[in-house]
Amino acid sequence: MITVLVYLLGFRYLFTAGTKSDGGSRLATQKKHLGKSEKKHSHPLSAKPKSEKQAKGGHPNGNGHTNGNGLHTSPVSAKMGQPLASKKFKLDSGTLIRIHDWMIQARVLEERLIRMYKQSQGYFWLGGPGEESFQIPLGMQIKKGRGPDYDFMHFHYRASGPMLVMGMDPKDAMRQMANVATDPFSGGRNFVAHFSRRDWNVVPVTSTIETQYLTAIGSGIAQKRHGGDGITVVTGGDAGTAEGDFASCLIWSSRPKQELPMLIIVTNNQFGISTQACTQHGEKNVADRGKAFGIRSSTINGLDVEDSWFSIKESMDYIRKERKPVLLEAKVSRLYGHSSATGANFVQNEEDPLSTFETQLERASILSRSEMDQIRERHNAEMLEMAKAVREEPMPDPQSIYDFTYFGQKGKYF
Amino acid sequence: MANMAQAIRMALHFGEKNLGLKEVFGEDVGPPLGGVFTATQGVECAWNSPLDERGIIGAAMGLAMAGSRCVAEIQFCDYIYNTIDLLKLAGNQCWASNGDWNLPMTVMTPVGSGIRGSLYHSHSFDATATHIPGWKIVMPSTPLDAYGLMLSCLKDENPTMFLKPKALLRVKGLEPIPGEPDLTTEGQKELSQMIDKPVVGDTREWKPKWPKLTDFSIPIGVGKTVTTGEHVTVVSYGRTLPICEQAAKNLLADGISVEVIDLRTLWPYDWALISESIRKTKRAIFVNEETEVTNFGEHLLRRTVEEHFYELEARPRLVAGAFVPGVGLADPLEMASVPQLGHIETAIREVVAERA
């Protein structure tokens, strides 16, 4: 009963960004009557049990660890982690519960997509597990709609979280994974996580690293001219910032008296496929580069839900009002490697923001272990059924290869 | 008697007043210069961008995605090559999104030789441009066609590329642009006084006085037979087109009748026009100044062979630029690197003399 209520409220209050809500209070109150469980959720695609440190809610990252690729990892996320026992939330419990629900959905979806890949129901996987603590708060604060009055999203390929929050049917991500004709983003033409929704201002995700930082300039210019409070949001990883396109974005967005209303986001997982950032980048933080252009810049702990939430909120409030850019670097994890190209296996030694958040919620008596397990199990079951259904959907018609080379065109154009 | 630079300028002005054109931008495109060839001079929505070709193309794509129609200029096509992946993206966004997104945007860039531009101001771009699906590619050879093709680009819902043959940008037109003063020396002066920014004096407050321009579109994909003939079909565009016309005039004295087709649009091109002409003359020559290997003219040659092999009375030919790394600066080097009148006349004589 409570689980269903949480589920419904998750949708009902999807775009409520306040720190208080009746729904949240009710949930918090009702939750107190539930029994608490210390049961820990295990990662369904993980070959090994969780470490003792993780099981206790600690941060597994630290000096000398290796990631799933056998490479040394930086201790940054461990340093940025907060003492879980002392966590005092600023957001109301209703918002926290919604965030948690979306984080679980995003994780379960990605794990389902990985399973689909491993079961040969798709050719390739990549996505954003390990970034949910940042991506969900981002998605919840997007002003969704079509045209310059609303936010434009130039996402990279780890954005299933915000897409879910914005209203994406998880089944649609599975359709793209299975490259079936019903894939609404590309009709079976593109990789999974290459989302596109014109009615939501989500421009097509591209495989070309960093070009989204260039196209974002254009919608930023259009929105600057248009006025209002719509902004341009662009996301990408840390490795891609080595491309000149990132510098282009900083330059174009900060031209004197022509600053653009852009939220320039870098999710820093400290890897470019298998290459460690510390072996290629001399700058301490990517966000430091923004300071040279007079861009308001900061580096945050993207593994912390509230740090993410309030950093995004503050940034968006500033951009919507001042019509100037913000560079926001969020340190995140990469829990299943870069993509299926590196195995798509769970990485044991990076902080799992969902696990961290769940421990925090449990210790704050906002959700019990058993409630959280029920939520996950429900989403797991629903998405399993979705994947089964997608398996039965038709592949694209080979005759369709010429369609939409030009706008509105079907069949061979020339 | 507007020249092509003036014609483009007038088309952009007509576009910003009547067709929803909101942004014209690129390096030195806005005041005070108005473009290195002055093709954007006086256009109200023209502005200067950072010296960043990738930023320019990316910005154009984003503007198009946000519903803001734009013309983005790459100052010389020699510098467009580092944007190839973006041009590919612009061309595939509609296809990649299964028809959801379209990018109504125009990229214009000067191409070709003719100004002694050395290695990096003489490149052609037609072979590469026509190799990128999803774009429509135009290349005028007269001011009126430049005006009409630009208006068609501004009306199209897809990415369009407007290749400006830089050698022809100062050549005066013989056909009136709707609204321009009379095609006389006086009319030419009058137009210049109206829309050319003075080269001396304080011009900070200068503004053009635009003629009363009207709509005139050259449909994309429609070529033009500029010289009618019987013995051979010569297909060209851009800088080499008027040279082909001149060759046709010269050879008429020797009894050689040449049909010259100005392709005007490189993609989608007017195959029906070409095909009909080849059926008539049974001989074909394709002329352009791009380097000869994997040249766009080679595609036209291949199609000619595939579809007209048994009708041809001579081997079809390609007259194109030498496959060398660049166009050399010295006069003899440039003349030897890209087709000149002599090259074209020789090719025509050979094809007409050949018997299958």
PDB file of all heavy atoms in Angstrom, chain A residues 65 168 269 309 321 380:
ATOM      1  N   HIS A  65      43.147   1.718  -4.565  1.00  0.00           N
ATOM      2  CA  HIS A  65      42.129   0.821  -5.118  1.00  0.00           C
ATOM      3  C   HIS A  65      42.283   0.700  -6.624  1.00  0.00           C
ATOM      4  O   HIS A  65      42.853   1.551  -7.273  1.00  0.00           O
ATOM      5  CB  HIS A  65      40.727   1.344  -4.805  1.00  0.00           C
ATOM      6  CG  HIS A  65      40.325   1.096  -3.393  1.00  0.00           C
ATOM      7  ND1 HIS A  65      39.973  -0.135  -2.922  1.00  0.00           N
ATOM      8  CD2 HIS A  65      40.249   1.942  -2.326  1.00  0.00           C
ATOM      9  CE1 HIS A  65      39.666  -0.054  -1.623  1.00  0.00           C
ATOM     10  NE2 HIS A  65      39.839   1.203  -1.249  1.00  0.00           N
ATOM     11  N   MET A 168      10.159   9.809 -19.730  1.00  0.00           N
ATOM     12  CA  MET A 168      10.449   8.731 -20.673  1.00  0.00           C
ATOM     13  C   MET A 168       9.913   7.401 -20.156  1.00  0.00           C
ATOM     14  O   MET A 168      10.126   7.047 -18.989  1.00  0.00           O
ATOM     15  CB  MET A 168      11.958   8.613 -20.894  1.00  0.00           C
ATOM     16  CG  MET A 168      12.350   7.457 -21.797  1.00  0.00           C
ATOM     17  SD  MET A 168      14.134   7.301 -22.020  1.00  0.00           S
ATOM     18  CE  MET A 168      14.630   6.617 -20.432  1.00  0.00           C
ATOM     19  N   ASN A 269      33.990  11.352 -13.979  1.00  0.00           N
ATOM     20  CA  ASN A 269      34.185  10.021 -13.382  1.00  0.00           C
ATOM     21  C   ASN A 269      35.660   9.628 -13.412  1.00  0.00           C
ATOM     22  O   ASN A 269      36.006   8.496 -13.104  1.00  0.00           O
ATOM     23  CB  ASN A 269      33.301   8.967 -14.069  1.00  0.00           C
ATOM     24  CG  ASN A 269      33.605   8.828 -15.549  1.00  0.00           C
ATOM     25  OD1 ASN A 269      34.726   9.040 -16.002  1.00  0.00           O
ATOM     26  ND2 ASN A 269      32.593   8.457 -16.320  1.00  0.00           N
ATOM     27  N   TRP A 309      21.592  18.543  -5.763  1.00  0.00           N
ATOM     28  CA  TRP A 309      20.312  19.249  -5.880  1.00  0.00           C
ATOM     29  C   TRP A 309      20.494  20.763  -5.730  1.00  0.00           C
ATOM     30  O   TRP A 309      20.050  21.549  -6.572  1.00  0.00           O
ATOM     31  CB  TRP A 309      19.320  18.744  -4.824  1.00  0.00           C
ATOM     32  CG  TRP A 309      18.015  19.469  -4.876  1.00  0.00           C
ATOM     33  CD1 TRP A 309      17.733  20.695  -4.342  1.00  0.00           C
ATOM     34  CD2 TRP A 309      16.833  19.051  -5.549  1.00  0.00           C
ATOM     35  NE1 TRP A 309      16.434  21.055  -4.626  1.00  0.00           N
ATOM     36  CE2 TRP A 309      15.856  20.076  -5.373  1.00  0.00           C
ATOM     37  CE3 TRP A 309      16.488  17.911  -6.279  1.00  0.00           C
ATOM     38  CZ2 TRP A 309      14.577  19.987  -5.899  1.00  0.00           C
ATOM     39  CZ3 TRP A 309      15.208  17.820  -6.795  1.00  0.00           C
ATOM     40  CH2 TRP A 309      14.276  18.855  -6.604  1.00  0.00           C
ATOM     41  N   LYS A 321      17.806  33.857 -14.221  1.00  0.00           N
ATOM     42  CA  LYS A 321      17.616  35.271 -13.914  1.00  0.00           C
ATOM     43  C   LYS A 321      18.658  36.150 -14.603  1.00  0.00           C
ATOM     44  O   LYS A 321      18.323  37.152 -15.255  1.00  0.00           O
ATOM     45  CB  LYS A 321      17.693  35.475 -12.394  1.00  0.00           C
ATOM     46  CG  LYS A 321      17.409  36.900 -11.966  1.00  0.00           C
ATOM     47  CD  LYS A 321      17.494  37.038 -10.455  1.00  0.00           C
ATOM     48  CE  LYS A 321      17.327  38.508 -10.063  1.00  0.00           C
ATOM     49  NZ  LYS A 321      17.678  38.744  -8.666  1.00  0.00           N
ATOM     50  N   ASN A 380      11.998  -3.655 -10.722  1.00  0.00           N
ATOM     51  CA  ASN A 380      12.656  -4.774 -11.403  1.00  0.00           C
ATOM     52  C   ASN A 380      11.645  -5.625 -12.151  1.00  0.00           C
ATOM     53  O   ASN A 380      11.849  -5.978 -13.319  1.00  0.00           O
ATOM     54  CB  ASN A 380      13.384  -5.652 -10.371  1.00  0.00           C
ATOM     55  CG  ASN A 380      14.894  -5.471 -10.443  1.00  0.00           C
ATOM     56  OD1 ASN A 380      15.439  -5.239 -11.518  1.00  0.00           O
ATOM     57  ND2 ASN A 380      15.547  -5.588  -9.309  1.00  0.00           N
TER      58      ASN A 380
END
